[in-house]
Amino acid sequence: MNKFVYMFDEGNSEKKELLGGKGANLAEMTRIGLPVPYGFTISTEACNSYYQEGKSISTEIELQVLDALHNLEEKTGKKLGDPINPLLVSVRSGAVFSMPGMMDTVLNLGMNDETVEGMARLTTNPRFAYDSYRRFIQMFSNVVLNIDSFYFEQFLEEVREEKGYSSDPEMTAENWQEVIKGYKEIVKKHTKSIFPENPKDQLFLSIKAVFDSWNNQRAIVYRRLHKIPDHLGTAVNIQSMVFGNMGNDSGTGVAFTRNPSTGESKLYGEYLINAQGEDVVAGIRTPNPIATLRNEMPEVYQQFVETCHLLEKHYQDMQDIEFTVERGKLFILQTRTGKRTAQAAIRIAVELVEEQIIGKKEAILRVDPDQLNQLLHRRIDDSYERKPLTKGLPASPGAATGKVVFDADEAEALAKDGERIILVRPETTPDDIHGIVAAQATITSRGGMTSHAAVVARGMGKACICGCESLDIDLKLKQFKVGDIIVNQGDIVTIDGSTGEIMFGEVPMIEPQLSDEFQLLLAWADGERKLGVRANADNPEDAKKALEFGAGGIGLCRTEHMFMDAARIPIVQEMILAETYEEREAALNKLLPMQQEDFEGIFEAMQGNPVTIRLLDPPLHEFLPDKEELLVEVTKLQMTESNFKELKDKEQLLRKVRQLHEFNPMLGHRGCRLGMIHPEIYVMQAKAIFYAIANVKEKGIDVKPEIMIPLVGHVNELKEMRQLVINAGLQVMEETGQEDDYLIGTMIEVPRAALTADQIAGEADFFSFGTNDLTQTTFGYSRDDAEGKFLQAYIQNKVLPENPFASLDQEGVGKLIETGIKLGRQTKPGLKMGVCGEHGGEKSSIQFCHDAGLDYVSCSPYRVPLARLAAAQAAIKSEQKQDVNKFQAQM
Ligand code: PEP
Ligand code: MG
């Protein structure tokens, strides 16, 4: 026989998977002797059996429930349905991971026309008894019979009005009896049958309803958002009721043992006298702050404070506790680890260490790296009272203010003039990239959290709101409407990418700062982690930010970003369009000092920390105008025949654009293939690096340059490019009379490079896995197309567990990385290796990098603190795993 039902004294907090979080905690609190109303838990396995049996409760489970009920009746001395001494119970969901408010609850179960009389007599409080009965009918009808609460509320409102009352406490016992009658009529009207009076029927119908609520829309969406597996199922807790609405010596409340938004170590919560739990949450009456309970019920308050300390010590974490006082006696109904903001999570973890409740390693594990985003972007001042126009999906965190613009080109043009822009589009495509780059933030009315705009914005660390369907965008009129409010192009809005809120006008902001507690936690993390953390940065400002956030160097400086600068693009185009070697040299000579200046700025900012500079990577056509647009211009010029020179220039440009056109640019003439065919470009870049080294060193600043060749697939490519860099270096060193130490390495970002890493290592001083391209080339996906077209459907339909561009595909791409590491170190033991794709800033990928034995990860500056913490967590977790293995081996 399978055991599906557990009395509270049969479980403990270890049995979360079986009893759900709530059930396990109720059992644990019972075990440690806290005043918990007795009851039992129907396990998550019973929920899964319910679904396997085609949504039916098996006889085996039914019998076990009846048995447990019998036990509960014995223990309480009350009986379900007994007209003299009735037992009333609550029926609550309780999943393994807390899903607050997502599933259903029924309170006061066991009430009917007979037991209500018993309750009235027993409590000598008929008003309370009838009030509880009507609450039960309302809740049961809503949760189990699916009748909208609105009908009951409307009816109650009518009765109150008719009596001339303004609130519920004015209602008398007789008034509630009248309401009960009305409620039953409502049930009859909606279900065509009478309200179920048999308490056992009520019980099993409620259990079924709680199981069903595992699959309601809210719960499904919540699970998807929090990556909770669908197969876990929910447990159901049946607990004898205690009543906070028995008079002024009763009450109910909710409290956190510490402040969940700031982390301050002070009881934080509220309560209501003479009320039931739902009243606190429903907001019908304004609850009192918990501190005033000290005056109203000093003894209860004292006992509650002690219980809070005890629970916090027992669970070694901040708790979220529900309590009820029934006629002066305190009962604890629930305790769980309290949800908290990132700021609070950090402060609580650090203070728990100071209070010697947990150790430093545990504190490091307590803060979810994903949550840190909240703290690492500019954000709206907490003291500002928000009045959002509307809300979309919080696709990329951070706050931004700017003028609304509806077109990527216009966004770019205005940004060049120094305007701050918020790009608003129905959705974005790769063609809008320049607009996203130029804008402070992007809003789309369509698309989800993995839509193009969302992914691109997150990659750039820019705020973004997606899928804001209430925006009615009119691209022709250049405006959007939200209800009757019209926002025109040029109007200023502020967005909060962490909440999805859009506000009209400018709003006060604060810069991200690492609080003292955060710095301390990160210092502890640095002591634990084995992985180095570097940043991807291509200008001195980002480099400084990276250093401020604790990066140990630059893992990727993408030199093409320096080519995109408005002042340089004409020279870059000159270089691309050059028909002769001399023309190209002339353009490159103009570019060289510009690049050199960039490198000097970055070297100086990095103060002797290593800087990995990657030579040019993207296909050249990315620096030229769009083919279609050019065609239109040429056609127009041909028709007017007014400006012959301009026509010829544009025709030449068009010829070149056509010539450079590629069918699959992602797999085309890019990366080291550019250096192989146009070595003069790489020579110029290498020289700029060496000149920069010389100048910076002359100022007495140390430089650790690492020159990186992108997209190598065959060792011969690296061999040739390595020689090219060495020659350029020799030439410059001869000129400057300096001797420089530097490394030449390669990106590993195509499968062939990983598979032949033993050969490639022979020519490389380091490897950097470019997991963005390695993901593209391993899956054979072009990222822009995949994310725009099918990837979202793949993730929704569970073809793929996650977006592999966000979270490393460990089974596939990971295998190539492991192969690359093994083969590379076979040739050169100790060869330095890192990751510089976006995955370097994502916690599960960081865990993989640690386990695989990489030396460092590199991510955007704003993700550096996250990566430091995640790297420490990875180290601690592997250590813990090894300890368990050792222990098991000894057994
Ligand atoms: C990569 O491919 O992972 C990488 C870092 O290079 P990029 O994103 O610039 O192609
Ligand atoms: Mg790449």
Side-chain angles (χ1 to χ4, degrees):
M1 193 188 81
N2 289 326
K3 187 167 168 65
F4 287 110
V5 180
Y6 295 78
M7 301 309 295
F8 283 174
D9 42 14
E10 289 182 294
N12 58 47
S13 60
E14 311 277 287
K15 294 200 168 121
K16 272 209 169 81
E17 254 170 63
L18 191 65
L19 304 178
K22 185 183 302 216
N25 281 338
L26 284 168
E28 183 74 9
M29 288 196 293
T30 306
R31 201 176 66 78
I32 61 175
L34 288 178
V36 176
Y38 197 55
F40 57 90
T41 303
I42 308 171
S43 72
T44 52
E45 286 175 359
C47 177
N48 289 327
S49 142
Y50 170 77
Y51 280 104
Q52 275 155 19
E53 302 278 326
K55 299 228 268 184
S56 122
I57 296 175
S58 70
T59 317
E60 192 180 7
I61 295 173
E62 189 181 328
L63 290 175
Q64 288 186 32
V65 170
L66 290 173
D67 214 30
L69 176 64
H70 184 69
N71 245 331
L72 176 60
E73 287 175 338
E74 295 255 289
K75 185 110 174 187
T76 55
K78 301 177 183 181
K79 248 176 123 76
L80 196 68
D82 184 347
I84 312 281
N85 192 11
L87 171 70
L88 299 184
V89 296
S90 62
V91 180
R92 296 174 201 255
S93 61
V96 178
F97 299 103
S98 140
M99 296 168 51
M102 294 302 123
M103 288 180 294
D104 292 330
T105 293
V106 179
L107 300 178
N108 301 340
L109 188 140
M111 281 283 191
N112 60 24
D113 288 353
E114 284 189 337
T115 54
V116 71
E117 301 298 337
M119 283 301 288
R121 271 194 306 275
L122 266 180
T123 58
T124 62
N125 190 344
R127 186 191 172 281
F128 154 75
Y130 293 113
D131 181 18
S132 302
Y133 189 16
R134 71 92 196 173
R135 284 169 191 265
F136 169 59
I137 298 176
Q138 183 168 346
M139 213 167 196
F140 184 93
S141 302
N142 178 240
V143 169
V144 181
L145 308 175
N146 293 316
I147 307 171
D148 201 317
S149 296
F150 163 80
Y151 298 104
F152 299 97
E153 278 152 21
Q154 190 188 35
F155 179 74
L156 175 56
E157 178 77 41
E158 280 168 21
V159 174
R160 263 198 315 250
E161 246 169 51
E162 187 198 305
K163 312 283 177 209
Y165 301 153
S166 60
S167 67
D168 287 354
E170 294 170 67
M171 299 276 285
T172 64
E174 290 70 33
N175 298 150
W176 284 129
Q177 278 176 300
E178 191 183 330
V179 170
I180 289 164
K181 233 167 143 191
Y183 275 11
K184 286 191 177 171
E185 287 301 318
I186 295 174
V187 171
K188 206 161 162 191
K189 196 169 140 212
H190 282 85
T191 63
K192 309 278 177 285
S193 58
I194 56 165
F195 185 78
E197 297 250 351
N198 179 331
K200 287 202 176 126
D201 290 348
Q202 293 172 355
L203 179 64
F204 282 101
L205 284 168
S206 299
I207 295 171
K208 246 170 104 29
V210 173
F211 282 156
D212 286 340
S213 71
W214 174 253
N215 276 331
N216 70 29
Q217 208 49 36
R218 282 194 316 259
I220 291 173
V221 170
Y222 187 91
R223 285 201 294 275
R224 198 165 291 154
L225 217 59
H226 292 84
K227 299 193 182 142
I228 299 173
D230 289 331
H231 69 266
L232 293 179
T234 180
V236 184
N237 298 293
I238 318 281
Q239 190 174 22
S240 56
M241 289 289 303
V242 285
F243 294 95
N245 54 343
M246 275 202 173
N248 287 338
D249 55 355
S250 303
T252 186
V254 180
F256 291 83
T257 55
R258 295 177 195 234
N259 186 316
S261 78
T262 65
E264 190 190 0
S265 178
K266 195 171 153 198
L267 208 55
Y268 174 97
E270 41 196 29
Y271 72 100
L272 279 171
I273 290 287
N274 198 9
Q276 271 200 314
E278 284 1 72
D279 299 342
V280 180
V281 193
I284 306 165
R285 287 161 58 192
T286 311
N288 306 313
I290 196 83
T292 59
L293 189 66
R294 188 202 300 255
N295 305 327
E296 278 196 284
M297 297 182 179
E299 273 166 39
V300 168
Y301 181 77
Q302 197 46 40
Q303 195 193 347
F304 181 62
V305 169
E306 280 162 21
T307 308
C308 285
H309 285 312
L310 193 138
L311 281 172
E312 209 184 70
K313 264 221 152 105
H314 186 75
Y315 285 101
Q316 302 182 335
D317 203 353
M318 184 263 266
Q319 297 293 298
D320 166 1
I321 300 169
E322 278 177 30
F323 67 96
T324 284
V325 182
E326 186 184 274
R327 291 187 160 163
K329 186 170 164 25
L330 175 72
F331 289 94
I332 305 296
L333 300 187
Q334 156 151 275
T335 189
R336 59 184 166 194
T337 304
K339 298 233 180 287
R340 61 202 80 181
T341 62
Q343 187 193 347
I346 291 167
R347 179 163 171 188
I348 291 170
V350 168
E351 291 188 354
L352 285 174
V353 173
E354 285 163 357
E355 292 163 30
Q356 299 184 339
I357 294 176
I358 59 173
K360 286 181 187 166
K361 287 184 189 176
E362 182 56 32
I364 291 167
L365 294 174
R366 284 288 169 85
V367 178
D368 182 356
D370 287 345
Q371 239 192 331
L372 298 183
N373 270 335
Q374 284 176 19
L375 299 180
L376 296 174
H377 289 83
R378 273 187 98 205
R379 63 181 210 272
I380 293 171
D381 193 336
D382 298 327
S383 60
Y384 172 77
E385 196 184 326
R386 302 176 181 211
K387 291 187 199 78
L389 274 179
T390 184
K391 214 171 157 181
L393 297 173
S396 180
T401 299
K403 287 186 174 168
V404 169
V405 171
F406 294 90
D407 176 83
D409 292 339
E410 275 180 77
E412 187 178 46
L414 286 165
K416 263 184 201 153
D417 294 340
E419 296 279 8
R420 289 181 306 164
I421 302 301
I422 306 288
L423 179 66
V424 181
R425 301 281 308 159
E427 61 204 347
T428 66
T429 69
D431 290 340
D432 297 314
I433 290 275
H434 57 300
I436 302 177
V437 172
Q440 305 290 312
T442 303
I443 304 173
T444 69
S445 58
R446 289 199 287 263
M449 303 283 281
T450 58
S451 63
H452 177 266
V455 172
V456 171
R458 279 200 294 274
M460 295 178 186
K462 292 196 180 225
C464 176
I465 294 175
C466 284
C468 188
E469 285 171 12
S470 56
L471 288 195
D472 185 3
I473 299 176
D474 190 327
L475 292 176
K476 273 213 192 97
L477 290 177
K478 295 190 177 174
Q479 60 175 217
F480 69 74
K481 278 194 220 153
V482 184
D484 322 326
I485 301 170
I486 296 178
V487 176
N488 289 301
Q489 174 140 324
D491 287 348
I492 291 187
V493 297
T494 297
I495 77 153
D496 184 343
S498 316
T499 61
E501 289 166 313
I502 304 173
M503 281 145 283
F504 200 76
E506 190 149 0
V507 159
M509 304 261 192
I510 45 181
E511 282 296 324
Q513 263 182 345
L514 304 188
S515 66
D516 291 347
E517 288 106 359
F518 196 3
Q519 306 259 27
L520 186 58
L521 187 76
L522 287 174
W524 295 343
D526 291 344
E528 295 295 331
R529 67 183 161 93
K530 305 284 178 286
L531 277 173
V533 176
R534 294 192 183 187
N536 295 355
D538 14 78
N539 56 59
E541 291 72 47
D542 284 358
K544 279 186 202 130
K545 194 95 228 160
L547 214 52
E548 182 191 320
F549 282 162
I554 288 180
L556 175 63
C557 169
R558 293 176 165 105
T559 49
E560 58 269 22
H561 289 175
M562 302 163 178
F563 280 27
M564 299 281 188
D565 184 284
R568 298 181 188 177
I569 202 101
I571 310 173
V572 176
Q573 290 180 352
E574 238 176 72
M575 172 198 71
I576 298 171
L577 296 174
E579 303 277 347
T580 64
Y581 179 79
E582 286 72 25
E583 276 176 22
R584 171 157 291 157
E585 275 290 309
L588 285 168
N589 284 339
K590 281 192 234 169
L591 280 175
L592 191 147
M594 297 174 171
Q595 284 248 287
Q596 182 185 329
E597 194 187 317
D598 296 331
F599 296 144
E600 284 176 21
I602 292 172
F603 287 147
E604 275 186 43
M606 289 312 288
Q607 299 168 25
N609 288 292
V611 177
T612 310
I613 296 174
R614 179 178 75 185
L615 302 187
L616 195 64
D617 183 52
L620 295 179
H621 70 77
E622 282 197 9
F623 302 100
L624 296 180
D626 177 73
K627 190 171 76 175
E628 308 300 326
E629 281 171 17
L630 209 51
L631 194 61
V632 172
E633 282 179 46
V634 167
T635 315
K636 271 191 198 152
L637 284 168
Q638 280 169 342
M639 287 193 330
T640 55
E641 283 179 20
S642 59
N643 191 338
F644 187 70
K645 163 109 182 41
E646 195 184 348
L647 174 62
K648 287 292 136 197
D649 285 351
K650 291 262 157 139
E651 279 178 344
Q652 188 205 0
L653 192 57
L654 182 60
R655 258 199 312 281
K656 196 73 189 180
V657 169
R658 281 192 168 133
Q659 201 184 331
L660 289 175
H661 170 77
E662 293 181 299
F663 294 104
N664 289 308
M666 195 263 296
L667 298 173
H669 194 184
R670 53 169 290 217
C672 65
R673 301 158 203 168
L674 289 172
M676 295 292 287
I677 304 302
H678 306 295
E680 59 280 11
I681 300 178
Y682 274 20
V683 170
M684 178 280 285
Q685 292 198 293
K687 282 185 174 173
I689 295 171
F690 288 109
Y691 284 126
I693 299 171
N695 279 355
V696 173
K697 272 189 166 172
E698 211 141 82
K699 291 186 193 167
I701 302 169
D702 189 23
V703 184
K704 281 207 190 74
E706 303 178 344
I707 299 169
M708 182 155 74
I709 311 297
L711 219 74
V712 164
H714 195 287
V715 64
N716 287 341
E717 291 171 321
L718 184 58
K719 208 181 260 179
E720 203 167 317
M721 291 301 100
R722 182 182 180 88
Q723 201 51 55
L724 175 151
V725 173
I726 291 174
N727 292 344
L730 285 174
Q731 204 182 323
V732 174
M733 285 183 236
E734 198 164 302
E735 267 178 53
T736 59
Q738 274 191 8
E739 208 168 290
D740 298 329
D741 272 339
Y742 63 94
L743 303 179
I744 302 175
T746 181
M747 305 226 11
I748 303 285
E749 49 186 344
V750 299
R752 196 181 186 285
L755 296 171
T756 59
D758 47 347
Q759 297 171 28
I760 290 179
E763 300 294 326
D765 303 326
F766 65 89
F767 280 177
S768 179
F769 289 90
T771 47
N772 299 335
D773 271 309
L774 195 56
T775 301
Q776 294 204 92
T777 51
T778 302
F779 275 92
Y781 294 166
S782 127
R783 179 174 186 171
D784 285 338
D785 295 320
E787 284 178 335
K789 297 209 165 61
F790 60 85
L791 206 52
Q792 224 181 326
Y794 265 38
I795 296 160
Q796 234 156 39
N797 301 335
K798 302 205 171 87
V799 178
L800 291 178
E802 276 180 271
N803 180 347
F805 292 104
S807 180
L808 189 82
D809 159 49
Q810 301 185 10
E811 294 171 353
V813 179
K815 208 175 265 175
L816 281 170
I817 295 177
E818 284 164 346
T819 308
I821 295 173
K822 191 170 138 241
L823 292 178
R825 290 196 177 141
Q826 207 167 288
T827 304
K828 277 194 186 156
L831 184 66
K832 185 165 65 167
M833 300 192 191
V835 154
C836 66
E838 260 181 56
H839 305 91
E842 192 273 332
K843 64 177 178 189
S844 68
S845 314
I846 292 174
Q847 170 87 49
F848 172 85
C849 293
H850 170 92
D851 294 339
L854 287 171
D855 297 301
Y856 68 89
V857 293
S858 188
C859 55
S860 96
Y862 286 94
R863 292 198 152 239
V864 165
L866 177 165
R868 287 165 69 193
L869 186 68
Q873 292 184 348
I876 297 168
K877 282 184 194 158
S878 343
E879 193 184 279
Q880 288 174 344
K881 226 189 266 167
Q882 278 167 9
D883 287 348
V884 170
N885 290 346
K886 249 191 243 158
F887 177 73
Q888 281 171 346
Q890 283 164 1
M891 294 282 286

